Amino acid sequence: MLSSALLTLLPLLASVPFSLAALDDTSARSASVYQVITDRFARPSSVSSTCTTSDRKYCGGTYSALIEKLDYIQGMGFDTIWISPIVENIGGTTGEGEAYHGYWTLDADKTNDNFGTADDLKSLSTALHNKGMYLMVDVVVNHVAATSSSTFTPSSSYGQFSSSDDYHPFCWITDYSNQTNVEQCWLGDDSVALADLNTDSDTVKNYWNNWVKELVSNYTLDSVRIDTVKHVQKDFWPNFVSSAGVFIQGEVLNGDPTYVSAYQSDAKVNPFNYPAYYPLTRGFNQTGGDLTELVTMTQTIKNNFSDPTLLGNFLNNHDNPRFESTVTDTSLIKNAHAYPFVTDGIPYGYYGSEAGFTGGADPDNREPLWTANYDTSSDMYKFFASLNAARKAAGNASDSFYTNQMTVSSLSSSSILVAKSPLISVLSNSGSSASDASVTVQSSASGWSSNTEVIDAISCETLTTDGSGNLAVTVKTGLPRVFIASSQKGSVCSSSSNSSSSSSSNSSGAIKVDVRGGWMIGAVGAVVGGLMMAL
């Protein structure tokens, strides 16, 4: 019989969280990332001032308020949250507004107290890990910010970078076809100049390598997103990535797959998929548009990138106008949003997409989410939950889902087939006013055998393949169809698909235990062992 002391300890054992290992290339493939602008996602209830995006001012968003909304994010099936840069930014109001977005670094050794304290950030990290979720932090290595340009003189306010030797000499970037100009000249303007750090300097390199290692350790980060990657020479990045020791996603804002792919192969940074972004937005921004460019680009990406399954896929973000700012057709919007979730790579959702936000270029695409009241009953909220449920079900059904590369082909003039077994998707740009259209998914593309029942994760309609394994599909009102065999559906089209994803496992279902929680597990184990010896 168990002793009373051990019985007392059992509730403690049940409450000990198993800490997830930080994301690496393998585990990141199964992640689904939700991007927030910290200042605009959630704020304390005590703050009630109006937030006008065009003012470009701080609106009061904090880490602590974000913690209170984790269920809202997890309810859509996202398991990773990407937050704004956390470092101290320049203060005051500039010709470009305030540094509410976090990208105007002053001192990288200090935190931005507008978002909360360092302890608040640690609490966010802990809260995420306790829910089986991950934390990705944005970092800016290329530059710091200043309210002067050619007359800029660094001071002690810039922390480690207080000497002119830490910077490339002033010059504006004027020629994006000249890589030296891109890497050594400055971004920004006379209102806010982004003083370019001399990343060729060993002093600067050593600082950043040590800094990112400490950043990951201090806040128990799971992943790092890097801003303005192409503005730093490629040979800087491998040591930085190694020092971080977690999965890295980086912004290389360029649509040329040859140019962008070199950062994955040479710089060891997994880029966001801008080469697919541009044909994606062009392909679905109007009914009857040409989808051939997108189909062709998927093959070009496979030919150029060392690993397309590690690219970051997105439709909206903080740098580009929301897709919904120019497209109002619901079916086109849903097809475009579905693409990042059913293709090779890691899907990224941008806060407010689920709320139907329509902001255009910066700053209009950085709206406060609290104006939408965190509505979990909206159509788009449920849509993202369905996409994430389908993707997770496919990963649980096949150990190779995340690593096998898709095949994208044309089904008709207005539809494409994305075959990433066991997930088979039909995307269309016919629009919500279109008549029903019939297409056939061949068994050679899907891998389905005869008389296989499949379910559409979006409509929850079930269909059955014919005697040859082919599937007749009707595209209704231009909506996307995302199919998986009913035997593999998991939580797809069940009540759990629109609720919090409680799984803290990898694609094979194995629990990941990290050394972060090892001391606690070890300590509890020692106590249990001692009690057992006393029995």
Short mmCIF file of all heavy atoms in Angstrom, two decimals, residues 375-437:
data_model
loop_
_atom_site.label_atom_id
_atom_site.label_comp_id
_atom_site.label_asym_id
_atom_site.label_seq_id
_atom_site.Cartn_x
_atom_site.Cartn_y
_atom_site.Cartn_z
N ASP A 375 -13.16 36.78 -31.35
CA ASP A 375 -14.34 35.96 -31.67
C ASP A 375 -13.93 34.59 -32.18
O ASP A 375 -13.31 34.48 -33.24
CB ASP A 375 -15.18 36.70 -32.72
CG ASP A 375 -16.46 35.97 -33.08
OD1 ASP A 375 -16.80 34.98 -32.40
OD2 ASP A 375 -17.13 36.39 -34.05
N THR A 376 -14.28 33.55 -31.44
CA THR A 376 -13.94 32.18 -31.85
C THR A 376 -15.05 31.53 -32.68
O THR A 376 -14.93 30.36 -33.06
CB THR A 376 -13.65 31.31 -30.62
OG1 THR A 376 -14.83 31.27 -29.79
CG2 THR A 376 -12.49 31.85 -29.82
N SER A 377 -16.10 32.27 -32.94
CA SER A 377 -17.21 31.71 -33.71
C SER A 377 -17.22 32.18 -35.16
O SER A 377 -18.08 31.76 -35.94
CB SER A 377 -18.55 32.10 -33.06
OG SER A 377 -18.76 33.51 -33.12
N SER A 378 -16.25 33.01 -35.53
CA SER A 378 -16.23 33.53 -36.90
C SER A 378 -15.90 32.42 -37.90
O SER A 378 -15.25 31.42 -37.57
CB SER A 378 -15.21 34.66 -37.03
OG SER A 378 -13.88 34.16 -37.01
N ASP A 379 -16.33 32.61 -39.11
CA ASP A 379 -16.12 31.62 -40.16
C ASP A 379 -14.65 31.38 -40.42
O ASP A 379 -14.20 30.23 -40.56
CB ASP A 379 -16.82 32.09 -41.43
CG ASP A 379 -16.71 31.08 -42.56
OD1 ASP A 379 -16.97 29.89 -42.33
OD2 ASP A 379 -16.37 31.49 -43.69
N MET A 380 -13.85 32.44 -40.46
CA MET A 380 -12.43 32.28 -40.76
C MET A 380 -11.69 31.65 -39.58
O MET A 380 -10.71 30.90 -39.79
CB MET A 380 -11.81 33.61 -41.14
CG MET A 380 -12.22 34.12 -42.53
SD MET A 380 -11.86 32.95 -43.88
CE MET A 380 -10.06 32.93 -43.86
N TYR A 381 -12.09 31.93 -38.37
CA TYR A 381 -11.47 31.28 -37.20
C TYR A 381 -11.63 29.76 -37.33
O TYR A 381 -10.68 28.99 -37.17
CB TYR A 381 -12.13 31.78 -35.92
CG TYR A 381 -11.50 31.24 -34.64
CD1 TYR A 381 -10.54 31.97 -33.95
CD2 TYR A 381 -11.87 30.00 -34.13
CE1 TYR A 381 -9.96 31.49 -32.78
CE2 TYR A 381 -11.30 29.50 -32.97
CZ TYR A 381 -10.35 30.25 -32.30
OH TYR A 381 -9.77 29.76 -31.14
N LYS A 382 -12.86 29.33 -37.65
CA LYS A 382 -13.12 27.90 -37.80
C LYS A 382 -12.38 27.33 -39.02
O LYS A 382 -11.96 26.17 -39.01
CB LYS A 382 -14.62 27.66 -37.93
CG LYS A 382 -15.40 28.02 -36.67
CD LYS A 382 -16.90 27.86 -36.89
CE LYS A 382 -17.68 28.23 -35.64
NZ LYS A 382 -19.15 28.12 -35.86
N PHE A 383 -12.23 28.16 -40.05
CA PHE A 383 -11.53 27.72 -41.25
C PHE A 383 -10.07 27.39 -40.93
O PHE A 383 -9.56 26.33 -41.34
CB PHE A 383 -11.61 28.82 -42.31
CG PHE A 383 -10.92 28.50 -43.61
CD1 PHE A 383 -11.42 27.53 -44.47
CD2 PHE A 383 -9.77 29.17 -43.98
CE1 PHE A 383 -10.79 27.24 -45.66
CE2 PHE A 383 -9.13 28.89 -45.18
CZ PHE A 383 -9.64 27.91 -46.02
N PHE A 384 -9.39 28.26 -40.19
CA PHE A 384 -8.00 27.98 -39.82
C PHE A 384 -7.91 26.76 -38.91
O PHE A 384 -6.96 25.97 -39.02
CB PHE A 384 -7.37 29.21 -39.16
CG PHE A 384 -7.01 30.30 -40.13
CD1 PHE A 384 -7.68 31.51 -40.12
CD2 PHE A 384 -6.02 30.11 -41.07
CE1 PHE A 384 -7.36 32.52 -41.02
CE2 PHE A 384 -5.69 31.10 -41.99
CZ PHE A 384 -6.37 32.31 -41.96
N ALA A 385 -8.89 26.60 -38.03
CA ALA A 385 -8.89 25.41 -37.17
C ALA A 385 -9.01 24.14 -38.01
O ALA A 385 -8.34 23.12 -37.74
CB ALA A 385 -10.04 25.49 -36.16
N SER A 386 -9.84 24.19 -39.06
CA SER A 386 -10.00 23.02 -39.93
C SER A 386 -8.72 22.72 -40.71
O SER A 386 -8.33 21.55 -40.86
CB SER A 386 -11.16 23.27 -40.91
OG SER A 386 -12.38 23.40 -40.23
N LEU A 387 -8.05 23.77 -41.20
CA LEU A 387 -6.80 23.56 -41.93
C LEU A 387 -5.73 22.95 -41.04
O LEU A 387 -5.02 22.02 -41.44
CB LEU A 387 -6.32 24.89 -42.50
CG LEU A 387 -7.11 25.49 -43.65
CD1 LEU A 387 -6.61 26.89 -43.97
CD2 LEU A 387 -7.03 24.61 -44.90
N ASN A 388 -5.59 23.48 -39.84
CA ASN A 388 -4.58 22.95 -38.93
C ASN A 388 -4.91 21.53 -38.50
O ASN A 388 -4.00 20.70 -38.34
CB ASN A 388 -4.45 23.86 -37.70
CG ASN A 388 -3.51 25.02 -37.93
OD1 ASN A 388 -2.43 24.86 -38.49
ND2 ASN A 388 -3.90 26.21 -37.49
N ALA A 389 -6.20 21.24 -38.32
CA ALA A 389 -6.59 19.87 -37.96
C ALA A 389 -6.25 18.90 -39.09
O ALA A 389 -5.78 17.78 -38.84
CB ALA A 389 -8.08 19.83 -37.65
N ALA A 390 -6.50 19.31 -40.33
CA ALA A 390 -6.20 18.44 -41.48
C ALA A 390 -4.70 18.19 -41.58
O ALA A 390 -4.26 17.06 -41.82
CB ALA A 390 -6.72 19.08 -42.76
N ARG A 391 -3.92 19.24 -41.40
CA ARG A 391 -2.47 19.10 -41.50
C ARG A 391 -1.93 18.20 -40.39
O ARG A 391 -1.06 17.36 -40.63
CB ARG A 391 -1.81 20.48 -41.44
CG ARG A 391 -0.32 20.50 -41.70
CD ARG A 391 0.17 21.94 -41.86
NE ARG A 391 1.59 21.98 -42.12
CZ ARG A 391 2.53 22.04 -41.16
NH1 ARG A 391 2.16 22.08 -39.89
NH2 ARG A 391 3.80 22.07 -41.47
N LYS A 392 -2.44 18.38 -39.19
CA LYS A 392 -1.99 17.53 -38.08
C LYS A 392 -2.40 16.08 -38.30
O LYS A 392 -1.62 15.15 -38.03
CB LYS A 392 -2.54 18.05 -36.76
CG LYS A 392 -2.10 17.24 -35.55
CD LYS A 392 -2.52 17.88 -34.26
CE LYS A 392 -1.69 19.12 -33.97
NZ LYS A 392 -0.26 18.78 -33.71
N ALA A 393 -3.62 15.86 -38.79
CA ALA A 393 -4.07 14.50 -39.05
C ALA A 393 -3.19 13.82 -40.08
O ALA A 393 -2.83 12.64 -39.94
CB ALA A 393 -5.53 14.51 -39.53
N ALA A 394 -2.80 14.57 -41.12
CA ALA A 394 -1.92 14.00 -42.14
C ALA A 394 -0.57 13.64 -41.55
O ALA A 394 0.01 12.59 -41.86
CB ALA A 394 -1.76 14.98 -43.29
N GLY A 395 -0.04 14.51 -40.68
CA GLY A 395 1.24 14.23 -40.04
C GLY A 395 1.18 13.04 -39.10
O GLY A 395 2.12 12.25 -39.02
N ASN A 396 0.06 12.89 -38.42
CA ASN A 396 -0.11 11.74 -37.52
C ASN A 396 -0.29 10.45 -38.30
O ASN A 396 0.10 9.37 -37.84
CB ASN A 396 -1.31 11.97 -36.60
CG ASN A 396 -1.04 13.02 -35.54
OD1 ASN A 396 0.11 13.27 -35.19
ND2 ASN A 396 -2.10 13.64 -35.04
N ALA A 397 -0.87 10.56 -39.49
CA ALA A 397 -1.14 9.35 -40.29
C ALA A 397 0.09 8.87 -41.05
O ALA A 397 0.18 7.69 -41.40
CB ALA A 397 -2.27 9.64 -41.28
N SER A 398 1.03 9.79 -41.31
CA SER A 398 2.19 9.42 -42.11
C SER A 398 3.46 10.07 -41.55
O SER A 398 3.54 11.30 -41.47
CB SER A 398 1.99 9.86 -43.57
OG SER A 398 3.18 9.73 -44.31
N ASP A 399 4.43 9.25 -41.20
CA ASP A 399 5.69 9.77 -40.68
C ASP A 399 6.45 10.57 -41.74
O ASP A 399 7.33 11.37 -41.41
CB ASP A 399 6.59 8.62 -40.20
CG ASP A 399 6.08 7.99 -38.91
OD1 ASP A 399 5.32 8.67 -38.20
OD2 ASP A 399 6.43 6.84 -38.64
N SER A 400 6.11 10.37 -43.00
CA SER A 400 6.83 11.06 -44.07
C SER A 400 6.08 12.27 -44.62
O SER A 400 6.56 12.92 -45.55
CB SER A 400 7.11 10.08 -45.22
OG SER A 400 5.91 9.58 -45.76
N PHE A 401 4.91 12.58 -44.05
CA PHE A 401 4.12 13.69 -44.58
C PHE A 401 4.89 14.99 -44.62
O PHE A 401 4.86 15.72 -45.62
CB PHE A 401 2.84 13.86 -43.76
CG PHE A 401 2.07 15.12 -44.10
CD1 PHE A 401 1.38 15.22 -45.30
CD2 PHE A 401 2.04 16.20 -43.23
CE1 PHE A 401 0.67 16.38 -45.62
CE2 PHE A 401 1.34 17.35 -43.54
CZ PHE A 401 0.65 17.44 -44.74
N TYR A 402 5.60 15.31 -43.56
CA TYR A 402 6.27 16.61 -43.48
C TYR A 402 7.55 16.67 -44.31
O TYR A 402 8.01 17.75 -44.65
CB TYR A 402 6.59 16.95 -42.02
CG TYR A 402 5.36 17.11 -41.16
CD1 TYR A 402 5.10 16.21 -40.12
CD2 TYR A 402 4.45 18.13 -41.38
CE1 TYR A 402 3.97 16.35 -39.33
CE2 TYR A 402 3.31 18.27 -40.60
CZ TYR A 402 3.08 17.37 -39.56
OH TYR A 402 1.96 17.50 -38.78
N THR A 403 8.13 15.53 -44.65
CA THR A 403 9.38 15.52 -45.39
C THR A 403 9.20 15.20 -46.87
O THR A 403 10.02 15.61 -47.70
CB THR A 403 10.37 14.51 -44.78
OG1 THR A 403 9.74 13.23 -44.68
CG2 THR A 403 10.82 14.97 -43.40
N ASN A 404 8.14 14.46 -47.22
CA ASN A 404 7.89 14.18 -48.63
C ASN A 404 7.45 15.45 -49.34
O ASN A 404 6.67 16.23 -48.81
CB ASN A 404 6.80 13.11 -48.78
CG ASN A 404 7.36 11.72 -48.59
OD1 ASN A 404 8.56 11.53 -48.45
ND2 ASN A 404 6.48 10.73 -48.56
N GLN A 405 7.96 15.65 -50.55
CA GLN A 405 7.63 16.87 -51.27
C GLN A 405 6.40 16.67 -52.16
O GLN A 405 6.21 15.63 -52.77
CB GLN A 405 8.84 17.32 -52.09
CG GLN A 405 10.01 17.73 -51.22
CD GLN A 405 11.19 18.24 -52.01
OE1 GLN A 405 11.04 18.71 -53.13
NE2 GLN A 405 12.39 18.14 -51.42
N MET A 406 5.60 17.71 -52.21
CA MET A 406 4.31 17.68 -52.90
C MET A 406 4.48 17.68 -54.42
O MET A 406 5.54 17.99 -54.95
CB MET A 406 3.50 18.91 -52.50
CG MET A 406 4.14 20.21 -52.97
SD MET A 406 3.27 21.67 -52.38
CE MET A 406 4.33 22.98 -53.04
N THR A 407 3.38 17.38 -55.07
CA THR A 407 3.25 17.55 -56.51
C THR A 407 2.07 18.47 -56.76
O THR A 407 0.97 18.23 -56.24
CB THR A 407 3.03 16.21 -57.23
OG1 THR A 407 4.15 15.35 -56.99
CG2 THR A 407 2.88 16.42 -58.72
N VAL A 408 2.29 19.53 -57.51
CA VAL A 408 1.22 20.48 -57.82
C VAL A 408 0.99 20.45 -59.33
O VAL A 408 1.93 20.56 -60.11
CB VAL A 408 1.59 21.91 -57.37
CG1 VAL A 408 0.44 22.88 -57.69
CG2 VAL A 408 1.89 21.93 -55.87
N SER A 409 -0.26 20.29 -59.71
CA SER A 409 -0.59 20.21 -61.14
C SER A 409 -1.91 20.91 -61.41
O SER A 409 -2.70 21.17 -60.50
CB SER A 409 -0.68 18.74 -61.58
OG SER A 409 -1.65 18.04 -60.80
N SER A 410 -2.16 21.22 -62.67
CA SER A 410 -3.41 21.86 -63.07
C SER A 410 -4.49 20.81 -63.26
O SER A 410 -4.26 19.78 -63.90
CB SER A 410 -3.21 22.64 -64.37
OG SER A 410 -2.30 23.71 -64.19
N LEU A 411 -5.67 21.07 -62.69
CA LEU A 411 -6.82 20.20 -62.89
C LEU A 411 -7.74 20.75 -63.97
O LEU A 411 -8.38 20.01 -64.70
CB LEU A 411 -7.60 20.04 -61.59
CG LEU A 411 -7.09 19.01 -60.57
CD1 LEU A 411 -7.93 19.07 -59.31
CD2 LEU A 411 -7.10 17.61 -61.15
N SER A 412 -7.82 22.08 -64.00
CA SER A 412 -8.64 22.77 -65.01
C SER A 412 -8.08 24.17 -65.14
O SER A 412 -7.11 24.54 -64.49
CB SER A 412 -10.11 22.80 -64.57
OG SER A 412 -10.28 23.67 -63.46
N SER A 413 -8.71 24.99 -65.94
CA SER A 413 -8.22 26.35 -66.12
C SER A 413 -8.34 27.19 -64.85
O SER A 413 -7.67 28.21 -64.71
CB SER A 413 -9.00 27.03 -67.25
OG SER A 413 -10.39 27.08 -66.93
N SER A 414 -9.17 26.72 -63.91
CA SER A 414 -9.38 27.50 -62.69
C SER A 414 -9.08 26.72 -61.41
O SER A 414 -9.41 27.19 -60.32
CB SER A 414 -10.83 28.00 -62.63
OG SER A 414 -11.74 26.91 -62.61
N SER A 415 -8.45 25.56 -61.53
CA SER A 415 -8.18 24.78 -60.31
C SER A 415 -6.86 24.03 -60.42
O SER A 415 -6.40 23.68 -61.52
CB SER A 415 -9.31 23.78 -60.04
OG SER A 415 -9.43 22.86 -61.10
N ILE A 416 -6.25 23.82 -59.26
CA ILE A 416 -5.00 23.07 -59.18
C ILE A 416 -5.15 21.96 -58.15
O ILE A 416 -5.98 22.04 -57.24
CB ILE A 416 -3.80 23.96 -58.82
CG1 ILE A 416 -4.01 24.63 -57.44
CG2 ILE A 416 -3.53 24.99 -59.90
CD1 ILE A 416 -2.80 25.41 -56.94
N LEU A 417 -4.35 20.93 -58.32
CA LEU A 417 -4.30 19.81 -57.39
C LEU A 417 -2.99 19.86 -56.63
O LEU A 417 -1.92 19.91 -57.24
CB LEU A 417 -4.41 18.48 -58.15
CG LEU A 417 -4.25 17.21 -57.30
CD1 LEU A 417 -5.44 17.04 -56.37
CD2 LEU A 417 -4.10 15.99 -58.21
N VAL A 418 -3.07 19.88 -55.31
CA VAL A 418 -1.88 19.80 -54.46
C VAL A 418 -1.89 18.43 -53.83
O VAL A 418 -2.72 18.13 -52.95
CB VAL A 418 -1.89 20.90 -53.38
CG1 VAL A 418 -0.62 20.79 -52.53
CG2 VAL A 418 -2.00 22.28 -54.00
N ALA A 419 -0.99 17.56 -54.26
CA ALA A 419 -0.91 16.20 -53.75
C ALA A 419 0.27 16.09 -52.81
O ALA A 419 1.43 16.10 -53.23
CB ALA A 419 -0.78 15.21 -54.90
N LYS A 420 -0.02 16.03 -51.54
CA LYS A 420 0.99 15.85 -50.50
C LYS A 420 0.43 14.77 -49.56
O LYS A 420 -0.12 15.07 -48.50
CB LYS A 420 1.26 17.17 -49.76
CG LYS A 420 2.42 17.10 -48.77
CD LYS A 420 2.75 18.49 -48.23
CE LYS A 420 3.79 18.43 -47.12
NZ LYS A 420 5.11 17.92 -47.61
N SER A 421 0.54 13.56 -50.03
CA SER A 421 -0.09 12.43 -49.36
C SER A 421 0.29 12.34 -47.88
O SER A 421 1.45 12.56 -47.53
CB SER A 421 0.32 11.13 -50.08
OG SER A 421 -0.33 10.03 -49.50
N PRO A 422 -0.72 12.09 -47.03
CA PRO A 422 -2.10 11.70 -47.33
C PRO A 422 -3.09 12.87 -47.44
O PRO A 422 -4.30 12.65 -47.40
CB PRO A 422 -2.47 10.82 -46.13
CG PRO A 422 -1.71 11.43 -44.99
CD PRO A 422 -0.40 11.90 -45.58
N LEU A 423 -2.60 14.09 -47.61
CA LEU A 423 -3.46 15.26 -47.78
C LEU A 423 -3.54 15.61 -49.27
O LEU A 423 -2.51 15.81 -49.91
CB LEU A 423 -2.91 16.44 -46.99
CG LEU A 423 -3.90 17.52 -46.52
CD1 LEU A 423 -4.94 16.91 -45.58
CD2 LEU A 423 -3.16 18.64 -45.82
N ILE A 424 -4.75 15.66 -49.79
CA ILE A 424 -4.97 15.92 -51.21
C ILE A 424 -5.92 17.11 -51.32
O ILE A 424 -7.06 17.05 -50.84
CB ILE A 424 -5.57 14.70 -51.93
CG1 ILE A 424 -4.72 13.44 -51.68
CG2 ILE A 424 -5.73 14.99 -53.41
CD1 ILE A 424 -3.31 13.51 -52.23
N SER A 425 -5.46 18.19 -51.95
CA SER A 425 -6.24 19.42 -51.95
C SER A 425 -6.54 19.90 -53.37
O SER A 425 -5.68 19.81 -54.26
CB SER A 425 -5.49 20.52 -51.19
OG SER A 425 -5.14 20.10 -49.89
N VAL A 426 -7.74 20.42 -53.54
CA VAL A 426 -8.15 21.03 -54.80
C VAL A 426 -8.41 22.51 -54.50
O VAL A 426 -9.32 22.84 -53.73
CB VAL A 426 -9.42 20.38 -55.37
CG1 VAL A 426 -9.86 21.10 -56.64
CG2 VAL A 426 -9.17 18.90 -55.66
N LEU A 427 -7.61 23.39 -55.09
CA LEU A 427 -7.75 24.83 -54.88
C LEU A 427 -8.21 25.47 -56.18
O LEU A 427 -7.75 25.10 -57.26
CB LEU A 427 -6.42 25.43 -54.43
CG LEU A 427 -5.79 24.82 -53.17
CD1 LEU A 427 -4.50 25.57 -52.81
CD2 LEU A 427 -6.77 24.83 -52.00
N SER A 428 -9.08 26.45 -56.04
CA SER A 428 -9.72 27.05 -57.23
C SER A 428 -9.76 28.56 -57.12
O SER A 428 -9.86 29.12 -56.02
CB SER A 428 -11.15 26.50 -57.36
OG SER A 428 -11.90 27.25 -58.28
N ASN A 429 -9.69 29.23 -58.25
CA ASN A 429 -9.89 30.68 -58.27
C ASN A 429 -11.13 31.06 -59.08
O ASN A 429 -11.20 32.14 -59.66
CB ASN A 429 -8.65 31.41 -58.80
CG ASN A 429 -8.35 31.12 -60.26
OD1 ASN A 429 -9.09 30.40 -60.92
ND2 ASN A 429 -7.27 31.68 -60.76
N SER A 430 -12.11 30.16 -59.10
CA SER A 430 -13.35 30.44 -59.84
C SER A 430 -14.24 31.42 -59.11
O SER A 430 -15.09 32.08 -59.72
CB SER A 430 -14.12 29.13 -60.11
OG SER A 430 -14.41 28.47 -58.89
N GLY A 431 -14.07 31.56 -57.79
CA GLY A 431 -14.82 32.55 -57.04
C GLY A 431 -16.15 32.05 -56.52
O GLY A 431 -16.69 31.02 -56.97
N SER A 432 -16.72 32.79 -55.57
CA SER A 432 -17.92 32.34 -54.88
C SER A 432 -19.18 32.38 -55.75
O SER A 432 -20.19 31.75 -55.42
CB SER A 432 -18.14 33.19 -53.63
OG SER A 432 -18.24 34.56 -53.95
N SER A 433 -19.14 33.09 -56.84
CA SER A 433 -20.32 33.18 -57.72
C SER A 433 -20.30 32.15 -58.84
O SER A 433 -21.24 32.09 -59.66
CB SER A 433 -20.41 34.58 -58.34
OG SER A 433 -20.56 35.57 -57.35
N ALA A 434 -19.28 31.33 -58.87
CA ALA A 434 -19.14 30.36 -59.96
C ALA A 434 -20.13 29.22 -59.82
O ALA A 434 -20.55 28.84 -58.71
CB ALA A 434 -17.72 29.81 -59.98
N SER A 435 -20.52 28.65 -60.94
CA SER A 435 -21.34 27.45 -60.94
C SER A 435 -20.50 26.27 -60.47
O SER A 435 -19.27 26.30 -60.52
CB SER A 435 -21.87 27.18 -62.35
OG SER A 435 -22.63 28.26 -62.83
N ASP A 436 -21.18 25.23 -60.00
CA ASP A 436 -20.46 24.03 -59.59
C ASP A 436 -19.63 23.50 -60.75
O ASP A 436 -20.08 23.49 -61.90
CB ASP A 436 -21.44 22.95 -59.12
CG ASP A 436 -22.11 23.30 -57.80
OD1 ASP A 436 -21.73 24.34 -57.22
OD2 ASP A 436 -23.00 22.55 -57.37
N ALA A 437 -18.43 23.04 -60.44
CA ALA A 437 -17.54 22.51 -61.48
C ALA A 437 -17.02 21.15 -61.04
O ALA A 437 -16.72 20.94 -59.86
CB ALA A 437 -16.37 23.48 -61.71
#
